[in-house]
């Protein structure tokens, strides 16, 4: 068990070569996280990483260690390559978790490779058929937790039920939400609305209500931003479309606001006055705020970030990883599913 | 054939009792459309509609006629009721199209009932397995045409191909786009990304490229707002989630902008100066701008609007309906599918 409390303050393993911008934002983010108290194992080309670390004055005294990995899986390579490329940074980083030398793995690199590596090396929580990618979307009054946002394009009804349970334990344990509500993404609030698969999932979720989850019922696309429920479960195809649409829309809408603010002399003057207030808003919508998404359902902590992640995203991902570890997320997930298998409701 | 050019200036039949707010916004919108040159048949309770018309000074001289329908299908009733409730306003309005007395039916009422009524009464364009709901979403540089946004929660790969063809003819004929591009909504740009069903649809669309459609390939959620392609095809489940998410996100984001603009004295002062410029933006995002969505694939023009539609939405829907009629949309759709059946590319 990698997340055993007895293991104390284990470092987080960072695939320091992953992402569109290579080592620089990873090392920068690791230095920032280390300054905030997170121990980090930087996994990748030893020489390159030491060189990058050297650019950060005072980094020598931080809890950062370099672990050599001679190979990197590029963003355009096949996820399945992970199996034979044991020297790739993601493979080495995940193995550190498996061996109990790190409490979590974080990668801004090839998502498919990270998922494959986690699944192959760490295995699944018993009772979970397929891990899902869990993320947070900014919403009215806070954030909505959404899963699956892309691990499973083709799903079975039973996955939705398991994902609802995983996310419930996650919010309870990591975010201190006492009884998080679960919504099933559909095309109408009424119970009978949806695809055949969603109707089947609805039945399973309904049966679990009060048995470890609080099932609100169906929610619609708009509810994700309205924060109608704490958790929204959906298949990995719809969830991925939702995630990318939400990001794309925010980008385009804020671009339009920016255009409108500079469309006349009068509005340009006004823009100078409102700039400060709008900056906070842009930050709220910035994906870097959450850092990375959690691959939930594997037997170990694995976080998957945007290839375009900046240092802030890397830092926040490392902080989130440490928090999930300190909250004993993996043992708590295993306990919940074990209790359920014995016919009792998860704690 | 209801949209025959020889039929001349046929009126549009409006289900004047449909929607959350009853007759008032329907009659108001009809009066506005009539002033803009659209002939309207107001279908519903004769007495109520005349009373409502009486509130509009000068409406007596407009090309508006009341057609009595004693019954209304409420928003919470079953769509399947349409079959036996032949006196319902939507049933009467759709029959006017079938009988060649109206060129199109527009309803802000029960969407399911409108779809059922159109399908039962008007039938399908030969070669189309299932009609889809086609709508426009505001996007960078204009709008993106999206279908299906909710008629079919469960789909087959062949539907995507037919919908791509329908939307292509629509944009060519009604919006004068010479060679509209088609994107298939998926979870990665690469051809091999997506669900099993989407991969199958990808193959069919690829085979149609150059044979009546211009297939761009896969697009992602963000591309809808980036306007990467003119048309985005997807199943009615994903499309409905997308539509409602897009609306919900715009609402929440603009709410945040409004909050930010009033968060300090300085920003309040600035807000006074930028207010005018931002108002144009809000209008751009307003669903009323497009009025209603088109149920494409039925053998007649049927438009379905929001239950919450205001007079402006009703007016714009009536204008769109008339424009689609004048462009001979239905005969052009039938011709395109007939030519394809003979093995030649649609015009």
């Amino acid at each position: 068990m990698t997340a055993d409390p007895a293991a104390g303050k284990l470092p987080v393993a960072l695939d320091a070569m992953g992402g569109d911008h290579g080592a620089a934002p990873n090392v920068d983010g690791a230095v920032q996280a280390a300054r905030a108290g997170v121990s980090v194992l930087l996994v990748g080309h030893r020489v390159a990483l030491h060189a990058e670390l050297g650019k950060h004055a005072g980094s020598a005294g931080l809890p950062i260690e370099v672990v050599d990995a001679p190979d990197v899986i590029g963003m355009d390579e096949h996820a399945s390559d992970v199996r034979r490329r044991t020297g790739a940074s993601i493979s080495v980083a995940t193995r550190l978790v498996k061996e109990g030398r790190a409490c979590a793995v974080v990668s801004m690199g090839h998502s498919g490779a990270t998922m494959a590596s986690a699944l192959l090396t760490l295995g699944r929580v018993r009772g979970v058929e397929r891990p899902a990618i869990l993320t947070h979307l900014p919403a009215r009054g806070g954030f909505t937790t959404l899963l699956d946002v892309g691990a499973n394009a083709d799903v079975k009804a039973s996955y939705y039920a398991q994902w609802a349970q995983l996310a419930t334990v996650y919010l309870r344990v990591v975010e201190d939400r006492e009884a998080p509500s679960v919504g099933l993404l559909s095309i109408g609030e009424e119970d009978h609305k949806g695809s055949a698969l969603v109707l089947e999932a609805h039945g399973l979720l309904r049966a679990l209500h009060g048995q470890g989850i609080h099932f609100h019922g169906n929610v619609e696309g708009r509810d994700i931003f309205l924060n109608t429920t704490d958790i929204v479960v959906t298949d990995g195809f719809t969830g991925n479309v939702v995630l990318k649409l939400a990001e794309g829309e925010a980008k385009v809408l804020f671009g339009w606001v920016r255009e409108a603010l500079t469309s006349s002399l009068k509005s340009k003057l006004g823009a100078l006055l409102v700039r400060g207030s709008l900056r906070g808003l842009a930050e709220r919508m910035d994906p870097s705020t959450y850092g990375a998404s959690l691959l939930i359902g594997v037997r170990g902590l694995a976080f998957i970030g945007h290839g375009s992640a900046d240092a802030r995203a890397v830092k926040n991902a490392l902080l989130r990883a440490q928090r999930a570890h300190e909250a004993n997320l993996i043992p708590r997930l295993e306990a919940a599913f074990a209790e359920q298998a014995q016919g009792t409701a998860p704690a």
Side-chain angles (χ1 to χ4, degrees), chain A:
Chain A
M1 183 79 59
T2 57
D4 193 304
K9 232 176 145 122
L10 273 174
V12 179
L14 175 65
D15 170 10
M17 311 307 287
D20 302 336
H21 311 299
N26 283 307
V27 172
D28 190 357
V31 167
Q32 291 181 36
R35 290 210 167 103
V38 181
S39 301
V40 184
L41 297 178
L42 284 180
V43 183
H45 292 303
R46 182 186 297 273
V47 177
L49 293 179
H50 276 297
E52 201 60 51
L53 265 175
K55 296 179 187 168
H56 296 270
S59 66
L62 293 171
I64 296 180
E65 203 183 307
V66 171
V67 176
D68 193 46
D71 186 15
V72 188
I73 295 182
M75 297 301 266
D76 49 356
E77 296 190 83
H78 286 287
S80 54
D81 285 0
V82 143
R83 197 183 286 267
R84 53 177 185 78
R85 287 169 65 179
T86 53
S89 54
I90 184 61
S91 308
V92 174
T94 312
R95 238 169 18 239
L96 290 168
V97 178
K98 176 69 179 176
E99 292 164 359
R101 291 167 60 198
C103 68
V105 53
V106 170
S107 176
M108 305 300 174
H110 194 303
S111 325
T114 306
M115 280 193 277
S117 176
L119 203 50
L120 281 169
T121 311
L122 306 172
R124 285 170 287 130
V125 167
R126 190 186 288 263
V128 174
E129 287 172 277
R130 293 287 177 91
I133 302 177
L134 175 152
T135 200
H136 300 314
L137 278 176
R140 192 176 274 178
F143 62 87
T144 297
T145 298
L146 179 70
L147 76 170
D148 173 23
V149 297
N152 306 273
D154 290 293
V155 303
K156 294 196 285 181
S158 53
Y159 300 177
Y160 294 79
Q162 292 157 19
W163 296 343
Q165 293 171 287
L166 289 167
T168 295
V169 174
Y170 171 84
L171 280 185
R172 209 182 268 158
V173 166
V174 181
E175 302 285 348
D176 289 321
R177 299 271 177 103
E178 202 34 66
S181 55
V182 174
L184 172 63
L185 191 57
S186 190
I187 60 172
E189 288 171 9
E190 303 88 339
D191 289 4
H192 64 278
K193 292 275 181 78
S195 63
L197 185 68
V198 165
L199 295 187
E200 193 188 341
H202 190 106
L204 297 178
L205 288 164
R206 183 67 71 201
L208 278 174
H209 178 68
Q211 309 289 319
I213 72 161
H214 289 261
F215 183 50
H216 166 92
N218 287 351
V219 293
E220 299 183 281
R222 65 172 67 89
D223 294 299
I224 295 170
F225 269 84
L226 297 176
N227 206 0
T228 306
T229 56
D230 297 302
I231 297 162
V232 171
V233 285
T234 190
D235 64 274
F237 184 89
T238 310
N240 189 270
V241 167
V242 160
L243 178 66
K244 288 174 182 167
L245 175 76
E247 289 175 3
E249 179 167 356
K251 201 172 156 185
V252 170
L253 258 55
F254 283 130
W256 285 345
V257 169
R258 218 171 294 125
E259 265 173 40
L261 292 182
T262 53
S263 62
S264 72
L265 204 67
K266 191 174 141 191
S267 66
K268 270 182 197 162
L269 190 65
L272 288 175
L273 297 166
V274 302
R275 199 160 48 174
S277 306
L278 287 178
R279 202 172 289 141
L281 185 52
E283 187 156 313
R284 187 174 188 174
M285 292 305 300
D286 186 351
S288 307
T289 306
Y290 296 112
S293 301
L294 173 64
L295 183 65
I296 198 164
V298 289
R299 216 163 150 266
L301 293 170
F303 290 85
I304 300 174
H306 257 278
S308 63
D310 57 11
R312 184 165 166 263
V314 172
K315 175 199 167 189
N316 287 337
L318 293 168
L319 288 169
R320 273 189 80 197
Q322 162 128 324
R323 207 165 59 165
H325 168 58
E326 286 172 353
N328 286 319
L329 179 60
I330 301 299
R332 295 289 293 273
L333 290 174
E334 293 197 300
F337 275 82
E339 282 169 41
Q340 201 205 12
Q342 290 164 20
T344 59

